[in-house]
Amino acid sequence: MNQNVNPTEVKRVPIVAAMLVGAFVGILNETLLATALPSIMNDFGIGESQVQWLTTAFLLTNGVMIPITAFLIERFTTRQLFITALSIFALGTSVASISHTFELLLGARVIQAAGSGIMLPLMMTVMLKIFPVEKRGAAMGMAGVVISFAPAIGPTLSGWLLEFFSWRGLFYVVLPIVIITIIIAAIFVKNVTEQTYPKIDILSILLSSFGFGGLLYGFSSITGGHGGEEAAAQIDSQAVAIIIAGAIIITLFIIRQMKLKRPMLEFRVFKYPIFSLSLIITMIVLMALIGAETMLPLYMQNTRGFTPLESGLMLFPGAIVMGVMSPITGMLFDKFGAKWLATSGMAIVTVTTFLFTSLEMDTAYSFLVIIYAVRMFGLSLVMMPVMTAGLNQLPPEWHPHGTAMANTMQQVSASIGTAILITVMTSAATNYQPDQAALEGLSEAEAMNHIASSAAINGYNSAFWIATILSIVGLCLSFFLKTKSQNDKADNKAV
């Protein structure tokens, strides 16, 4: 029988290592297929509107699972839940590696995400349990490596692997790592979370799944139109209707949670102002971050003609910076608190995002690499320090709900950010008015090519202007965070 142990007495290193690896491979798979999608399209004879569901379905399932995880953490032991989540993820990965139809591969991605959606909030909850407040910054800095480095390295890793293997090789690489992690977890992971055995509220699970799922699906589909302007407009109207329906269902879900004695997801966490502020800043950061991670690969491959590997390698130094800085930032947070790290980081993010508003057809590759890497340095100063500062405001019994809420809102904001920026990009490109003077002396083919390239560039630059505005809002909000000395004096009272 699995007995709970005192969280302060466990051997932290093996538990944290197992949790970090599990969460890493889970989040890595959000972007691992990014550069493999053209190969999958060719293999199965499908179009962009179908193949994009390999990513969208993964994010949707993640978004649905995360709110349920707070309930699962209170129902099952740490060891049971983590090994089960890893096993589900391994099953999905193995099925994906042998998939010979698109439908089977899509189903495998959903299975993968069902396991992945549990691992990240579980890891963050365990870290809050086993580390005292004064050491949480460093611990959450390690979590920041997973949250930020994994999706950043995904396109680079897949671009490199596709030079030597088919897209199935991406799953062959991940599967042995997951199996080894299951073995390590079975030996070293202890039960550090408390089981209160809440009753299963089927209505809450249904409202959560359809509400968050609908919201994420709507924003993921809002720019997914193919087949001309009429088809695109039709899909847009359907997506808007789904978003509205999702928002209504989430409202009903929140009302029900506020009435339940033991809610599935505790919305009372928003009574803590620093937690609420931290979550808003984190969501804004992710929406701005998506600007670079979505727009730059599109700009490089579709407009500039770079290969997927070259595009992935452009992002690689930034991923390394984020990976190196996350634990360092955690230690700085323990010493100085979140406020000055966040304001400095948001200032860097704002300036570097602004620099991406002037992309051209001849923008230097080195410029893209350097500015992106500096931008990731700024983001490393913001993400985990701000979120850790918010979670530290919550009482221990609400940590599972705080981490579940944070991760859910991050998924939603990433989806919303992508939809907004792609909408701005496509709209600005469609409405572009060419400079007639620049077309003089060009043949008809050359003029058409010039207009298409200029329209695309205008779209990317417009999207980065929106990302810049978001960054400025985040910078302004970061000044309302507390310094370490202010936090030490505060009583962490809810409003």
Side-chain angles (χ1 to χ4, degrees), residues 293-374:
E293 293 199 345
T294 303
M295 297 298 144
L296 288 178
L298 290 172
Y299 160 74
M300 294 188 70
Q301 293 181 47
N302 295 348
T303 306
R304 296 287 299 277
F306 287 101
T307 66
L309 179 58
E310 289 171 327
S311 174
L313 288 174
M314 189 279 293
L315 302 175
F316 185 64
I320 294 295
V321 168
M322 178 67 83
V324 171
M325 280 303 300
S326 289
I328 296 174
T329 304
M331 290 184 283
L332 291 174
F333 168 79
D334 286 335
K335 189 171 183 180
F336 300 108
K339 181 173 183 176
W340 301 119
L341 286 172
T343 52
S344 302
M346 284 308 305
I348 293 171
V349 171
T350 300
V351 171
T352 51
T353 306
F354 172 74
L355 292 174
F356 281 136
T357 62
S358 55
L359 297 174
E360 300 287 350
M361 283 300 293
D362 58 354
T363 300
Y365 188 91
S366 57
F367 172 87
L368 299 173
V369 172
I370 293 170
I371 298 304
Y372 181 76
V374 175

Side-chain angles (χ1 to χ4, degrees), residues 400-435:
H401 295 281
T403 55
M405 185 68 71
N407 286 291
T408 300
M409 293 300 104
Q410 286 169 10
Q411 290 283 341
V412 170
S413 63
S415 180
I416 291 173
T418 303
I420 291 173
L421 292 170
I422 291 181
T423 300
V424 170
M425 181 192 77
T426 53
S427 177
T430 302
N431 298 323
Y432 174 73
Q433 298 295 326
D435 180 6

